[in-house]
């Protein structure tokens, strides 16, 4: 199969965009990415999105967005894997380009979560969980994660305040990201004081939702000089793994098997290990997910993910910087778009274009996008051009 | 790229399944297809579905169904392209197998449209159209097609009763299909008498909705003897094309450009022409769509699709048999599953397993699945093993 590179990136600010509908947000990101890549056409468009049907009464986003961005006629579909929809769409694009079906593919993640009239976002997000065995009991997606966090604290003797280091790092990193939802630092004290949402998860444990879109253009590495802007970043690995949706169906609720499977398949493809990764865009939908992901991805021992944060190892100066542009917590989490935001941010880092947030000597970056509470996990490892 | 074959098929009856939830329907079809192929594992599962979020409060079907059918852990996503979701999922599976990403892929189309509590099916189906420019005016998906039908009748001097031949053929073919929703013949008189839905579309112009699931197992043709049941059918062509969602955005509303592009790309890949096709599973969501699809696919001149039906050429004894197992009209149209039902039925024909509905000497069969009123079109051409 062919090696694949990212030759263009685009993103909107994550915000409440009163004046931009879903198609406008997608177009802003796609047209930016195509301009960045220096292309005016493409072979296919894959769109990652979770909630457009329920929240905006619009499905069929593939053809809709293709037409709106000037690509009428091309192959175009929507890919859905809950909050992992963005990276799942990239995985489909990677499959098509690596396998030879297409040369130039645009992958867009988009979500319009505010100013919608048809349903509440909370109703939408719980569709990531098992409707017949979890949400039927009245669980929200926050309360599902609260069960995991409570169990983690009990099993490993961790205090709630220990999770605050994830939030402090994410917000600090968002300050200089113009596309971030929350561009302000927060203190450990502010974390401790935050309003409770679903005990023990408080407001500061939770990522912020918003409207947003991000896009990448990919092509075979061999064609990158022909199409690209001279800033190509290479996809060294792409992998997806799944698990039971319902947490009670997993042998060990505190071990994200699909994170482990996806990450280690990616390490194998890239022929590296976790120690080689220079930065890691982790799926920090809640602080508990950061801890569990770091553990199952091989960056911390079981039950020690929180200590990695407490020891400062996740900051830009630490051994494994995470959420380098703010993460889901502070850049914001427009769910179906998040996986592409992560890949766009890793690309910025590997291009050396991350500004005040630049990780020194970043050569290998990992982006990991999670659907549900760990049921779908997509991992991409990117490498700076040599 | 590698040649790809279908080595297993499965389908449920299209019906109101009071006792089967969405995951049970999917499992019935997937497990049948895996049994048919003689396999007990697979590399990936792609699920075509349109309405599960809105109607049943469940997204994230990839991981959900993978787990439920015993494939926990494999790559799994949902693909959505409105009523074209099923064949779009097969297109993604074909891309992965032809390109070398996976060897054995299960593709399932599933839709649960009855006994749902969260929303009306009519609300769901209009999400295939343009929410901001079409459905906002109160159009239903039936009334959108009614506009097309009215225009067709005006432009080409066709009477409503002329469309009845599509319905008579579909119902006649469904009589011997145990999986069909409506297993009864209807007369031209019954067609003319049917209750009006959205003038000029009456009940007998319209396909019947229902619950259902269908699945296929695909693998490289070179491996088909190793995995399959000796009944492999080969995918000679797979193509997808798109158009504007909103009908008013198309230069000629009566010409389905994406049907033309998709069909002729498929002919080119298979190195054949429409005259070589022995049977055609057409997307007869409404009788007007049958006429327009036959024209844009090259089986009839512009405005003459209806005359092909009137001349009897679409029956099992005609020059281009369509809807050979009942079509969307009489087998039923569980929207996200339909594209896979079509492919399963073509496979039955090319295996010589279509029973009373067998098309004599069928060697090349075409399945064409449409999302919206022609905005996404996926065409597959299958060939019997030589």
């Amino acid at each position: 199969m062919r090696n694949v590179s990212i030759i263009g990136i685009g993103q909107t600010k994550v915000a409440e965009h009163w004046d931009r509908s879903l198609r406008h947000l997608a177009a802003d990101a796609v047209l930016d990415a195509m301009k960045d890549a220096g292309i005016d056409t493409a072979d296919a468009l894959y769109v990652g999105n979770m909630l457009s049907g329920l929240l905006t009464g619009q499905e069929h986003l593939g053809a809709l967005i293709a037409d709106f961005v000037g690509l009428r006629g091309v192959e175009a579909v929507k890919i859905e894997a809950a909050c992992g929809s963005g990276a799942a769409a990239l995985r489909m694009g990677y499959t098509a380009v690596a396998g030879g079906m297409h040369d130039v593919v645009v992958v867009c993640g988009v979500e319009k979560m505010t100013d919608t009239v048809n349903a509440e976002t909370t109703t939408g997000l719980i569709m990531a969980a098992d409707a017949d065995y979890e949400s039927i009991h009245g669980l929200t997606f926050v309360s599902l994660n609260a069960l995991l966090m409570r169990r983690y604290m009990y099993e490993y003797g961790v205090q709630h305040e220990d999770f605050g280091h994830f939030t402090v790092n994410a917000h600090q990193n968002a300050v200089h990201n113009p596309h971030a939802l929350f561009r302000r630092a927060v203190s450990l004290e502010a974390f401790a004081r935050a309003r409770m949402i679903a005990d023990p998860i408080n407001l500061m444990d939770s990522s912020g939702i918003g409207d947003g879109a991000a896009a990448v253009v990919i092509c075979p590495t061999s064609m990158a000089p022909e199409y690209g802007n001279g800033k190509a970043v290479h996809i060294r690995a792409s992998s997806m793994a799944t698990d039971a949706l319902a947490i009670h169906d997993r042998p060990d609720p505190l071990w994200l098997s699909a994170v482990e499977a996806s990450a280690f398949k990616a390490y194998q493809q890239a022929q590296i290990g976790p120690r080689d990764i220079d930065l890691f865009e982790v799926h920090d939908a809640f602080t508990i997910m950061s801890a569990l992901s770091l553990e199952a991805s091989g960056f911390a021992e079981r039950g020690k993910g929180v200590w990695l944060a407490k020891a400062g190892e996740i900051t830009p100066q630490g051994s494994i910087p995470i959420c380098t542009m703010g993460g889901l917590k502070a850049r914001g989490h427009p769910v179906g778009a998040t996986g592409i935001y992560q890949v766009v941010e890793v690309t910025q880092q590997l291009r050396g274009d991350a500004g005040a947030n630049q990780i020194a000597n970043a050569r290998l970056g990992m982006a990991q996008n999670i659907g549900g509470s760990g049921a779908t996990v997509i991992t991409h490892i990117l490498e700076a051009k040599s």
Side-chain angles (χ1 to χ4, degrees), chain A:
Chain A
M1 299 182 77
R2 307 188 290 187
N3 292 320
V4 179
S5 296
I6 295 172
I7 58 170
I9 56 175
Q11 59 184 320
T12 72
K13 182 175 165 65
V14 179
E16 179 169 10
H17 286 280
W18 283 100
D19 57 339
R20 305 302 276 167
S21 74
L22 185 141
R23 79 184 73 193
H24 291 102
L25 292 166
D28 289 345
V30 167
L31 295 175
D32 272 2
M34 290 177 68
K35 186 177 173 193
D36 185 36
I39 61 167
D40 57 11
T41 187
D43 299 324
L45 172 72
Y46 297 146
V47 177
N49 172 271
M50 178 184 179
L51 298 171
S52 72
L54 188 75
L55 298 188
T56 72
Q58 180 72 70
E59 287 289 357
H60 211 171
L61 298 188
L64 180 82
I65 294 169
D67 182 36
F68 196 64
V69 301
L71 294 173
R72 184 184 292 189
V74 302
E75 172 164 341
V77 291
K78 163 173 161 172
I79 314 288
E80 190 276 328
C83 304
S85 299
L90 178 58
R91 169 75 179 153
M92 296 298 111
Y94 175 86
T95 299
V97 173
M101 181 60 77
H102 298 300
D103 287 338
V104 179
V105 171
V106 179
V107 183
C108 171
V110 59
E111 206 74 69
K112 175 76 182 162
M113 301 178 79
T114 72
D115 321 323
T116 63
V117 292
N118 298 23
E120 293 293 330
T121 305
T122 302
T123 309
L125 293 175
I126 195 60
M127 300 195 300
D130 191 314
D132 293 345
Y133 295 95
E134 291 184 322
S135 39
I136 198 171
H137 299 294
L139 279 168
T140 65
F141 201 65
V142 185
S143 62
L144 257 183
N145 281 271
L147 292 172
L148 284 177
M149 191 169 180
R150 173 67 69 198
R151 185 77 194 171
Y152 186 96
M153 291 163 65
Y154 171 81
E155 289 282 349
Y156 303 133
V158 174
Q159 302 302 309
H160 178 262
E161 65 196 41
D162 297 328
F163 287 89
H165 300 275
F166 288 117
T167 300
V168 169
N169 173 64
H171 273 261
Q172 183 59 49
N173 292 344
V175 169
H176 296 289
N177 178 2
H179 300 103
L181 177 63
F182 300 130
R183 296 186 62 186
R184 60 173 190 274
V186 300
S187 63
L188 283 173
E189 293 68 35
F191 173 84
R193 277 198 315 268
R195 182 160 62 86
M196 189 59 71
I197 305 294
D199 195 2
I201 290 184
N202 75 22
L203 190 67
M204 286 286 174
D205 286 300
S206 315
S207 55
I209 64 162
D211 310 332
V216 296
V217 180
I218 58 176
C219 78
T221 300
S222 62
M223 296 181 188
E226 172 186 346
Y227 285 109
N229 49 19
K231 293 179 168 188
V233 159
H234 309 310
I235 302 180
R236 281 284 301 274
S238 169
S239 75
M240 184 187 302
T242 56
D243 198 353
L245 259 64
I247 292 173
H248 61 250
D249 275 340
R250 303 178 192 165
D252 179 355
L254 294 184
W255 189 255
L256 299 179
S257 301
V259 165
E260 180 183 23
S262 173
F264 281 83
K265 268 197 285 189
Y267 297 145
Q268 190 173 34
Q269 189 188 348
Q271 299 183 286
I272 61 165
R275 283 168 194 275
D276 299 310
I277 299 292
D278 297 311
L279 67 136
F280 179 20
E281 291 304 326
V282 71
H283 190 90
D284 59 325
F286 301 96
T287 51
I288 178 65
M289 289 306 286
S290 299
L292 295 175
S293 299
L294 285 166
E295 294 168 23
S297 297
F299 293 101
E301 300 278 307
R302 177 187 286 262
K304 301 293 185 194
V306 169
W307 305 112
L308 205 66
K310 208 168 175 177
E313 301 294 352
I314 63 167
T315 67
Q317 294 74 38
S319 60
I320 181 65
I322 70 171
C323 306
T324 67
M325 303 299 280
L328 282 60
K329 175 68 195 83
R331 175 245 295 128
H333 184 27
V335 293
T338 288
I340 304 297
Y341 273 100
Q342 294 177 309
V343 168
V344 164
E345 290 161 355
V346 172
T347 302
Q348 289 178 299
Q349 291 284 4
L350 299 182
R351 285 180 175 185
D353 286 348
N357 294 50
Q358 185 64 48
I359 303 298
N361 306 314
R363 201 181 64 81
L364 282 168
M366 185 157 96
Q368 189 176 75
N369 190 197
I370 300 183
S373 49
T376 301
V377 184
I378 309 99
T379 306
H380 286 96
I381 297 175
L382 311 186
E383 184 178 24
K385 70 170 184 172
S386 48

